[in-house]
Amino acid sequence: SYVLTQPPSVSVAPGQTARITCGGNNIGSKSVHWYQQKPGQAPVLVVYDDSDRPSGIPERFSGSNSGNTATLTISRVEAGDEADYYCQVWDSSSAVVFGGGTKLTVL
Amino acid sequence: QVQLQESGPGLVKPSQTLSLTCTVSGGSISSGSYYWSWIRQPAGKGLEWIGRIYTSGSTNYNPSLKSRVTISVDTSKNQFSLKLSSVTAADTAVYYCARAQSRTGQNYYMDVWGKGTTVTVSS
């Protein structure tokens, strides 16, 4: 089965840039989607198809995907960005696969 | 704007069948090329995809749960449902329903989620 690997935690100061990685075998050949989940709330889609943003998601959220690593980048981080972030792909053998999640802490 | 709402018992006994329903409002479950999905999340842990259904009735399931899962759709009620059999304490989780779509017909993402419902498996 296909496995997505995320760092358990990332910390960043307000106003700085946060980068959350998602590793997978040849993930660059897949489309990667990212979700933000705040405590007690349902996940929210923040990036789909590697780098597109749904309406209502700030331009500060961007994504890239190449080789064995996909990255969610959050520019000018705000306190309200503190949350868990999950990457997700579709794999022909495993169907929908989520990464283990990364807790973003705003210092 | 489409909204999803999960409903069902919050407590299920071990070895019994967990049954949940997701009601779709603000749009028809049959319109568009969407898959309707179930995802769960044990307390303090990550997301686990359970499975999905198309309005034609076509389904895909997580291989690790496939033997115990059935997802069905009732277009007349604008609902889809989850049944998980032979539950144990390990099935205790928040269960979410979600709409999945794709621009390519292959790489689906969940763009609308319900708020989730907590199901506890305990005697």
Side-chain angles (χ1 to χ4, degrees):
Chain A
S1 62
Y2 194 77
V3 176
L4 295 175
T5 301
Q6 297 183 237
S9 62
V10 169
S11 299
V12 64
Q16 299 303 303
T17 297
R19 294 179 179 84
I20 299 172
T21 59
C22 176
N25 185 33
N26 197 26
I27 196 174
S29 66
K30 302 179 182 297
S31 290
V32 180
H33 320 300
W34 291 91
Y35 303 86
Q36 175 193 68
Q37 186 181 32
K38 296 182 179 180
Q41 298 184 18
V44 173
L45 180 71
V46 293
V47 167
Y48 65 97
D49 289 346
D50 295 339
S51 59
D52 289 327
R53 282 184 312 277
S55 61
I57 301 300
E59 292 183 4
R60 300 185 298 104
F61 289 81
S62 63
S64 62
N65 183 20
S66 178
N68 293 318
T69 304
T71 302
L72 173 69
T73 301
I74 309 171
S75 304
R76 301 180 301 282
V77 167
E78 303 173 356
D81 298 330
E82 189 162 283
D84 293 327
Y85 291 85
Y86 295 90
C87 57
Q88 176 247 310
V89 301
W90 168 268
D91 178 72
S92 59
S93 63
S94 311
V96 172
V97 180
F98 287 102
T102 297
K103 179 177 181 59
L104 176 66
T105 299
V106 181
L107 300 171
Chain B
Q1 184 174 347
V2 171
Q3 293 183 317
L4 308 180
Q5 178 67 59
E6 305 88 352
S7 60
L11 180 64
V12 182
K13 295 184 187 309
S15 80
Q16 294 191 341
T17 296
L18 177 159
S19 296
L20 296 175
T21 296
C22 183
T23 300
V24 180
S25 59
S28 170
I29 198 171
S30 300
S31 67
S33 300
Y34 301 116
Y35 273 92
W36 303 93
S37 306
W38 288 97
I39 301 99
R40 70 181 184 178
Q41 184 174 36
K45 296 188 177 181
L47 301 169
E48 180 180 33
W49 180 75
I50 300 171
R52 67 179 191 178
I53 189 166
Y54 198 66
T55 48
S56 66
S58 173
T59 55
N60 300 100
Y61 297 132
N62 185 325
S64 67
L65 298 170
K66 187 175 183 178
S67 63
R68 299 194 292 130
V69 174
T70 302
I71 297 176
S72 58
V73 64
D74 187 336
T75 55
S76 66
K77 294 183 178 179
N78 233 30
Q79 296 176 334
F80 62 106
S81 299
L82 168 70
K83 291 189 185 298
L84 181 65
S85 63
S86 305
V87 297
T88 68
D91 295 309
T92 295
V94 175
Y95 285 75
Y96 296 100
C97 60
R99 185 182 77 174
Q101 69 166 298
S102 167
R103 293 192 296 187
T104 63
Q106 293 184 341
N107 301 302
Y108 282 80
Y109 50 89
M110 276 67 80
D111 65 335
V112 181
W113 293 66
K115 292 183 178 181
T117 188
T118 299
V119 178
T120 301
V121 178
S122 175
S123 55

